[in-house]
Amino acid sequence: CHIGLTEIISPLSLNGKLFGYLFFAHVFSFDDLDSGVKEISANAKGYGFDEKTVRTLCAKMPIKSNDFIGASANLLSAVATYLCMQKSSLSKKTELATDVEEYILAHLDRDLSAEALSKTFGIGRTKLYSILNDRFGESLAAYVKRLRLEKAKQLLSEDEDAKISDVAEKCGFLDYNYFIANFRRYFGVSPKKYAKQYSGK
């Protein structure tokens, strides 16, 4: 540091972007107390510290060897590498969750089972479930059903004359009666009644 103590600093970066630092400071790394006090006192004069004060403070700090400093630097570097790997892993998981979410929203009329999504993204079902649960806090089936029903509600709001069976199909519901029952459960009215209410009829 600027007054003579030793600092070890390891930058944390991901994809060329700095996101933090690890610090190990301040270390008294002189060969002996007297030589350290002499150098630090000269550097600390501008801050109002006299040599007696510097000596008192330095005497409380154990002298660390170059081997200790080197080992500390290696340890700090290892910790920095681990943290960067963890952040990279988290970043990739977040990107994958976003890709899965966007795919589901764009393909509500298709097969969105765990098997189908796992095949599409080349990941195992366990990893898929973990990603979705972390992102949405609900199961895949519940998440997809909710989005499909919200889309159905939107379509009915936009066109009160839309055929209920067509709306169900566009939203990925292969069973007409299942769609009716779930729509009523979620929104308190049947799809047909909802469309009429929204249009003011």
Side-chain angles (χ1 to χ4, degrees):
C1 76
H2 60 289
I3 64 169
L5 294 171
T6 297
E7 295 176 332
I8 304 171
I9 304 172
S10 183
L12 302 174
S13 62
L14 181 63
N15 298 325
K17 293 183 178 180
L18 186 69
F19 66 88
Y21 294 93
L22 286 182
F23 287 86
F24 182 63
H26 289 90
V27 180
F28 191 90
S29 58
F30 296 91
D31 293 332
D32 57 75
L33 180 62
D34 289 335
S35 61
V37 168
K38 185 176 181 181
E39 181 175 329
I40 292 172
S41 295
N43 295 331
K45 280 183 179 179
Y47 297 96
F49 290 98
D50 57 29
E51 185 172 328
K52 183 179 179 181
T53 302
V54 171
R55 179 174 292 276
T56 300
L57 294 173
C58 288
K60 295 178 181 179
M61 302 179 70
I63 297 174
K64 299 299 182 182
S65 67
N66 288 332
D67 287 342
F68 176 88
I69 301 298
S72 299
N74 289 336
L75 179 60
L76 203 66
S77 178
V79 172
T81 299
Y82 172 77
L83 291 175
C84 290
M85 288 173 62
Q86 287 293 98
K87 187 168 180 66
S88 176
S89 177
L90 180 61
S91 177
K92 288 177 181 177
K93 189 173 182 180
T94 301
E95 289 174 9
L96 183 55
T98 299
D99 291 343
V100 172
E101 180 181 15
E102 290 176 351
Y103 180 86
I104 290 173
L105 288 169
H107 301 91
L108 289 173
D109 59 335
R110 298 188 188 177
D111 179 7
L112 296 175
S113 63
E115 291 79 7
L117 289 174
S118 293
K119 186 175 181 180
T120 297
F121 290 95
I123 58 176
R125 282 189 292 175
T126 300
K127 184 174 182 179
L128 176 67
Y129 289 141
S130 174
I131 289 171
L132 294 176
N133 188 61
D134 289 347
R135 181 72 170 239
F136 310 116
E138 58 186 336
S139 68
L140 171 62
Y143 175 66
V144 170
K145 183 194 290 185
R146 178 168 58 81
L147 291 183
R148 283 173 166 166
L149 289 168
E150 289 291 345
K151 182 177 180 180
K153 182 180 177 183
Q154 178 187 344
L155 293 175
L156 291 168
S157 299
E158 294 170 349
D159 183 6
E160 65 272 17
D161 295 321
K163 288 182 64 176
I164 304 302
S165 58
D166 289 343
V167 171
E169 186 177 339
K170 287 178 181 178
C171 297
F173 289 98
L174 303 180
D175 187 322
Y176 177 79
N177 292 323
Y178 179 77
F179 167 65
I180 299 294
N182 277 278
F183 192 96
R184 184 181 285 112
R185 187 178 299 117
Y186 267 73
F187 303 117
V189 295
S190 68
K192 188 173 183 179
K193 192 170 184 180
Y194 175 83
K196 287 183 177 180
Q197 286 178 344
Y198 190 86
S199 65
K201 293 182 180 179

